Amino acid sequence: MIPDLTALLTAIQPADADAMDRARARQAQLTKPAGALGDLEDLSVRLAGVLGHERPNPRGVAVIVAAGDHGVARAGVSAYPPEVTPAMVANFLADTPAGPGGAAVNALARAVGARVYVMDAGVNADLPEHPALVRAALRRGTHDLSVQAAMSVDEAQTLILAGAALARRAIEDGADVLIPGEMGIGNTTPAAAITARLLGLDAARVTGRGTGVDDARLAHKVAVIRVALDRTPTTDPLEVLAEFGGFEIAAMLGVMLQAAASRRAVILDGFVEGSAALIGVTLTPHLRDYLFPAGECAEIGHAAQLAHLGLKPMFHLNLRLGEGTGGVLAAPILLGAAATLREMRTFAEAGVPGSDIEEERGAASPGAGS
């Protein structure tokens, strides 16, 4: 492991337990029935632990979209050709009447006030010059993971550090909430291979339709992943990333690690992001404290990832686009959870006799406060 990556992993510490205790105590005194804000209450307490204060005040949301191509895409595992990847990178960067970027993630980011960063992590094309494009590619796409390792361990570590560097830039620009996103035709195949290996599951249990393949192509996709998994028995997380991963998956892992090392929150979008998170938590279990899943996506392996991580999604919208779109949609939920803990008054602050209120509510019918 290269020294910079070792230092990054070492810098990731557990969430602040004292801040979470203070947040729970404050949460119990806010002007509402206990538990009335549901999962927002747990989210707010977890954010307190990330940011180190019982009144968390996250400011700035950044989505970092890493794009990379995959040699395995040539094996027919996707409904779309690999040429879509560079076309979508151009779309992320395009000038439109609404503002920069014409993709779903751009539209959603504008709607919630998030900033979009775009990285070439290894696109198989000559991308035009653009001032907003961060170039980190070592080569044009990974090798076919069903035939050989997708990349070397050194390449994987280099892309992790490139993602970490872009995360530091986003944090310097004011982001306290980071959303790793991705673009890469065929990338649910490496995500499924990583998930199957790290969770010890058969490929069929974690492989979905990705871009919408039919039954025959899904069966082919599962077979390709099984061939890849049969090449090597490794369970070492960096070797798993190198053998089965993608350059954009490595970059997203770097974003997560740097965010955690800097005590910033990470919103997980979907299945591909989840595969990066599995590698990260295997490398350093403390990373889990900083991860906030957006929604459970339509890929069948995502639920298995979240169960293994012990994390609960914020919503179920059957998303499967990627790009960080689900993460952007979740950002207002996370910011709202922080606002309730930070800005709501306690019973004492409001001059309301909380204990009397609670006794009265307890005597009311179960649906009285709904």
Side-chain angles (χ1 to χ4, degrees):
M1 192 179 296
I2 59 180
D4 287 350
L5 181 54
T6 300
L8 181 60
L9 293 172
T10 302
I12 299 173
Q13 298 298 310
D16 188 330
D18 288 340
M20 288 191 287
D21 286 343
R22 295 193 303 271
R24 288 189 191 96
R26 177 171 175 79
Q27 186 67 250
Q29 300 168 36
L30 297 180
T31 48
K32 59 175 179 59
L37 286 175
D39 291 345
L40 289 185
E41 298 185 10
D42 180 62
L43 290 173
S44 71
V45 170
R46 292 193 60 216
L47 268 174
V50 168
L51 299 176
H53 197 282
E54 66 272 17
R55 294 191 180 193
N57 190 20
R59 298 180 179 178
V61 177
V63 54
I64 296 175
V65 184
D69 276 307
H70 301 266
V72 74
R74 300 291 179 187
V77 295
S78 173
Y80 289 85
E83 289 75 17
V84 170
T85 303
M88 282 303 301
V89 172
N91 196 21
F92 296 141
L93 300 169
D95 292 326
T96 77
V105 69
N106 302 109
L108 293 171
R110 284 192 290 269
V112 304
R115 181 168 180 175
V116 179
Y117 298 79
V118 182
M119 172 194 283
D120 173 12
V123 177
N124 187 18
D126 291 322
L127 297 175
E129 292 297 324
H130 194 288
L133 179 62
V134 177
R135 295 183 181 272
L138 301 176
R139 54 186 167 87
R140 289 167 49 153
T142 60
H143 301 302
D144 182 347
L145 60 85
S146 68
V147 177
Q148 65 185 103
M151 67 191 87
S152 70
V153 171
D154 284 347
E155 288 174 325
Q157 293 183 101
T158 299
L159 263 297
I160 291 171
L161 293 176
L166 187 49
R168 287 195 298 275
R169 175 179 155 188
I171 291 167
E172 289 167 2
D173 289 342
D176 289 332
V177 177
L178 279 76
I179 304 166
E182 40 65 36
M183 176 61 213
I185 293 300
N187 64 10
T188 58
T189 296
I194 290 169
T195 303
R197 176 52 50 86
L198 291 182
L199 300 190
L201 299 174
D202 180 71
R205 293 185 58 187
V206 296
T207 304
R209 297 183 184 274
T211 50
V213 298
D214 60 18
D215 289 348
R217 190 167 292 191
L218 176 59
H220 171 67
K221 182 177 177 181
V222 170
V224 167
I225 293 169
R226 285 175 175 156
V227 168
L229 294 170
D230 285 344
R231 284 194 303 98
T232 171
T234 187
T235 57
D236 175 86
L238 287 178
E239 291 180 2
V240 168
L241 175 60
E243 290 287 343
F244 310 124
F247 289 137
E248 81 279 34
I249 294 175
M252 289 195 297
L253 173 57
V255 172
M256 297 177 198
L257 294 176
Q258 185 61 62
S262 301
R263 304 196 71 89
R264 299 309 199 276
V266 176
I267 301 181
L268 289 179
D269 182 14
F271 181 58
V272 182
E273 289 78 5
S275 70
L278 289 178
I279 294 167
V281 171
T282 305
L283 286 167
T284 172
H286 297 322
L287 174 63
R288 180 198 174 277
D289 292 352
Y290 299 85
L291 304 178
F292 295 81
E296 183 182 324
C297 77
E299 288 293 292
I300 64 170
H302 196 210
Q305 292 174 343
L306 295 178
H308 179 80
L309 293 169
L311 296 172
K312 184 177 181 180
M314 299 183 210
F315 50 70
H316 293 76
L317 295 176
N318 293 313
L319 302 177
R320 57 181 177 87
L321 177 59
E323 302 177 8
T325 48
V328 175
L329 284 172
I333 298 176
L334 199 62
L335 297 179
T340 61
L341 185 56
R342 182 180 68 251
E343 299 176 15
M344 286 181 68
R345 300 169 79 186
T346 65
F347 283 108
E349 290 165 346
V352 177
S355 59
D356 294 344
I357 294 274
E358 290 305 309
E359 287 174 8
E360 182 179 335
R361 284 176 175 151
S365 63
S370 61

